Amino acid sequence: MASEFEIALGLVAPFYNLVLAAIAFYLFIRMFHLPNRLVYMRPWKVLFAAFCIYLVEEGFTALRILGIADLPRVLNGVFEMVIIGLFIYMLFLQKEYVAKSIKVIHTKMPPPEIVEKSRGKKKR
């Protein structure tokens, strides 16, 4: 049998999660506005997309607890599968980038981003 504390914690936890997620959202936005572009940002953007889906899922959970909306629980499973898929895609992106970087280090060539940017410029 669940105690009153466990029940109360179960009712309030999604709201605490939303507050902490709002703080993390703010930190993501700050990170994307940093001037340093030496960091490979694409996996971070995919992680941010997964995080935004998590925010929507938590919002739906809060609406369900408040009784405002009667959303089917299967949506949580769909959201979680999309989030896991984005995590796996993010890891593959990072793996590919590291493999290219290692190859570049061994061949003493500039990083792939610099090579791609320099191809578009014409020499005078």
Side-chain angles (χ1 to χ4, degrees):
M1 192 69 174
S3 69
E4 292 178 10
F5 175 73
E6 292 170 344
I7 295 171
L9 188 63
L11 291 174
V12 177
F15 301 106
Y16 286 134
N17 284 346
L18 280 175
V19 170
L20 293 174
I23 294 169
F25 185 82
Y26 172 74
L27 292 174
F28 264 114
I29 298 302
R30 293 280 307 216
M31 180 182 71
F32 290 141
H33 285 90
L34 289 176
N36 186 1
R37 291 298 167 195
L38 298 175
V39 177
Y40 184 52
M41 294 296 290
R42 194 159 179 215
W44 287 101
K45 291 177 182 178
V46 174
L47 180 65
F48 181 68
F51 179 73
C52 288
I53 293 171
Y54 169 76
L55 283 177
V56 171
E57 178 185 7
E58 280 299 311
F60 284 171
T61 303
L63 291 176
R64 189 179 302 120
I65 287 174
L66 291 173
I68 295 173
D70 187 27
L71 301 165
R73 287 200 172 263
V74 73
L75 283 177
N76 286 13
V78 171
F79 285 142
E80 290 170 11
M81 292 209 18
V82 171
I83 291 170
I84 291 170
L86 287 172
F87 282 167
I88 292 170
Y89 178 63
M90 176 189 67
L91 292 174
F92 281 135
L93 283 174
Q94 188 65 30
K95 180 184 174 207
E96 180 183 341
Y97 177 76
V98 169
K100 283 182 183 179
S101 297
I102 290 173
K103 190 182 296 183
V104 166
I105 290 171
H106 289 299
T107 60
K108 307 285 189 215
M109 293 178 59
E113 295 83 28
I114 295 174
V115 173
E116 289 174 9
K117 289 179 182 177
S118 65
R119 287 183 187 164
K121 295 180 181 177
K122 295 181 180 180
K123 294 183 180 178
R124 294 182 185 177

